């Protein structure tokens, strides 16, 4: 006699084959809504049945010498081992501890994604809780699953004790957070490696609070440009694909690219005076460059301390002279100008940077980037020496102008000529 589960599985597949060629284009809106809701409910019921069998399939693994039922399932159904093992853990938990979740799946009122979130929330509860409190939490989350999706259920689950055991919720939450923070400190890491193509890969794992603070700092540098009338868009019309126009010379960048450039801007503008003493003096970055190279359009400069980052030994210790000139305007570096025998002729100091008061005065005067046709707000701009300091330029507001990051790079780019207009705007021309 065929087992009823086998019969049900066969009937389901037969029913699906019967509608394999049915075209939903002929369904009404109401029929499509009903079908989608019923199919999602059916998927939940099928998932529960699969997990129920998986939880009791240890003998199948023993019969075939598989490590466990998940290993057998992944091999014979061509699924990922990680997914199969996660399902096996969930199946065991449902079979052992989660009767209300199982009932909700059997009724079709909870999806697999919702059940996974609820199970994680219940597992995160303090192990010392009375069984009845855990059962109350499970029942409440199952009820909420009738109206909320996985994301909202996760938020409810994080504060479920406020509902089922408010008298211990605050203390339990404090203990949980302390445990998470201690673990975060243990696993905090940051690594850097030169890739040899002019870039360095930075990978890190940091505590959540530090990541939020870092993201906040980067967002301050990555303010999106305001959309302008007449701006054209890319082929998908997404905000990140707005192209440069006569009214908006700085193209909108995709968010990851914008955040990457914000990280660079953040490092260039961090206040070194607030950093710890390093090597007997305030923490600084020293850029060395021969005087002739500094005054040349195409040349290179060295960075003292580039060996701090492991990786490709042929990369990372050189930047272009134009980059050195730009950094001398904005970044808190010490430009060391060398003579013919690499003897320092002049050791610049951070007082070559414009002070906050000078920047404020220029912001009041300029309002926006001084490049002709650019309207990036002043508070997103960088201070630039109109007469380069290597040619005797002074750090005062009459010799300074605010430029957005895009135009500040261009003004130090040997591929462009810069014309100063009567009202002080800068107009760029590509060299022929």
């Amino acid at each position: 006699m065929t087992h009823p589960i086998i019969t049900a599985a066969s009937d389901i597949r037969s029913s699906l084959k019967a509608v394999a060629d049915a075209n939903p284009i002929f369904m009404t809106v109401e029929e499509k809504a009903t079908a989608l809701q019923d199919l999602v409910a059916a998927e939940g019921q099928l998932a529960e049945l699969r997990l129920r069998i998986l939880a009791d399939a240890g003998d199948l693994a023993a019969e075939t010498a598989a490590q466990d039922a998940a290993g057998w399932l992944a091999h014979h159904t061509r699924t990922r081992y990680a997914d199969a093992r996660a399902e096996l853990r969930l199946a065991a938990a449902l079979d052992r501890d989660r009767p209300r979740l199982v009932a909700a799946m059997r009724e079709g009122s909870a999806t697999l994604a919702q059940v996974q979130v609820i199970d994680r929330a219940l597992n995160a509860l303090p192990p010392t809780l009375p069984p009845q409190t855990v059962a109350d939490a499970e029942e409440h989350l199952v009820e909420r699953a009738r109206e909320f999706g996985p994301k909202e259920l996760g938020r409810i689950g994080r504060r479920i004790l406020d509902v089922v055991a408010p008298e211990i919720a605050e203390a339990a939450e404090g203990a949980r957070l302390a445990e998470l923070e201690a673990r975060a400190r243990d696993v905090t890491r940051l690594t850097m490696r030169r890739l040899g193509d002019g870039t360095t890969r930075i990978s890190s794992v940091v505590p959540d609070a530090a990541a939020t603070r870092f993201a906040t700092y980067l967002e301050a540098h990555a303010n999106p440009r305001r959309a302008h009338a007449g701006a054209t868009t890319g082929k998908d019309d997404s905000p990140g694909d707005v192209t440069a126009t006569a009214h908006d010379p700085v193209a909108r960048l995709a968010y990851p690219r914008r955040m990457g450039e914000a990280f660079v801007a953040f490092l260039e503008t961090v206040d070194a005076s607030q950093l710890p003493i390093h090597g007997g003096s305030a923490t600084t970055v020293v850029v060395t460059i021969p005087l002739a190279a500094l005054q040349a359009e195409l040349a290179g400069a060295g960075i003292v301390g580039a060996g701090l980052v492991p990786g490709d030994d042929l990369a990372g210790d050189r930047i272009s002279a134009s980059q050195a000139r730009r950094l001398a305007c904005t970044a808190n570096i010490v430009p060391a100008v060398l003579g013919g025998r690499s003897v320092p002729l002049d050791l610049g100091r951070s007082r070559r940077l414009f002070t906050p008061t000078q920047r404020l005065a220029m912001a009041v005067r300029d309002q926006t980037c001084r490049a002709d046709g650019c309207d990036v707000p002043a508070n997103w701009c960088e201070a630039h020496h109109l007469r380069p300091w290597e040619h005797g330029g002074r750090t005062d507001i009459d010799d300074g102008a605010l430029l957005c990051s895009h135009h500040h790079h261009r003004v130090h780019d040997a591929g462009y000529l810069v014309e100063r207009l009567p009202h002080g705007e800068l107009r760029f021309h590509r060299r022929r």
Side-chain angles (χ1 to χ4, degrees), residues 125-126 129-130 132-134 136-137 140 158-174:
L125 293 175
L129 283 181
Q132 185 57 48
T133 303
V134 178
D136 291 344
H140 181 80
R158 282 196 293 271
R159 303 295 299 181
I160 188 62
L161 287 182
D162 290 344
V163 178
V164 299
E167 67 282 359
I168 65 170
E170 200 61 37
E173 177 69 1

Side-chain angles (χ1 to χ4, degrees), residues 158 176-177 180-185 187-188 204-216:
R158 282 196 293 271
R176 184 184 74 86
L177 291 175
L180 289 177
E181 290 167 0
R183 181 184 178 279
R185 286 193 297 271
V187 301
T188 295
S204 64
V205 176
V206 298
D208 288 341
T212 300
R213 176 181 291 187
F214 184 51
T216 301

Side-chain angles (χ1 to χ4, degrees), residues 16 67 89 95 114 148 208 213 217 233 292 312 325 339:
L16 292 175
Q67 275 191 333
R89 287 192 294 270
D95 182 61
Q114 289 175 307
F148 295 113
D208 288 341
R213 176 181 291 187
Y217 293 162
T233 59
D312 194 315
R325 287 190 288 269

Side-chain angles (χ1 to χ4, degrees), residues 111-151:
T111 66
L112 178 60
Q114 289 175 307
V115 169
Q116 289 169 332
V117 170
I118 293 174
D119 182 64
R120 285 184 58 198
L122 296 174
N123 287 334
L125 293 175
T128 55
L129 283 181
Q132 185 57 48
T133 303
V134 178
D136 291 344
E138 180 184 357
E139 184 173 358
H140 181 80
L141 289 170
V142 167
E143 285 298 318
R144 298 285 75 77
R146 298 180 184 276
E147 52 183 320
F148 295 113
K151 184 176 181 179

Side-chain angles (χ1 to χ4, degrees), residues 29 50 150:
V29 171
R50 184 177 73 252

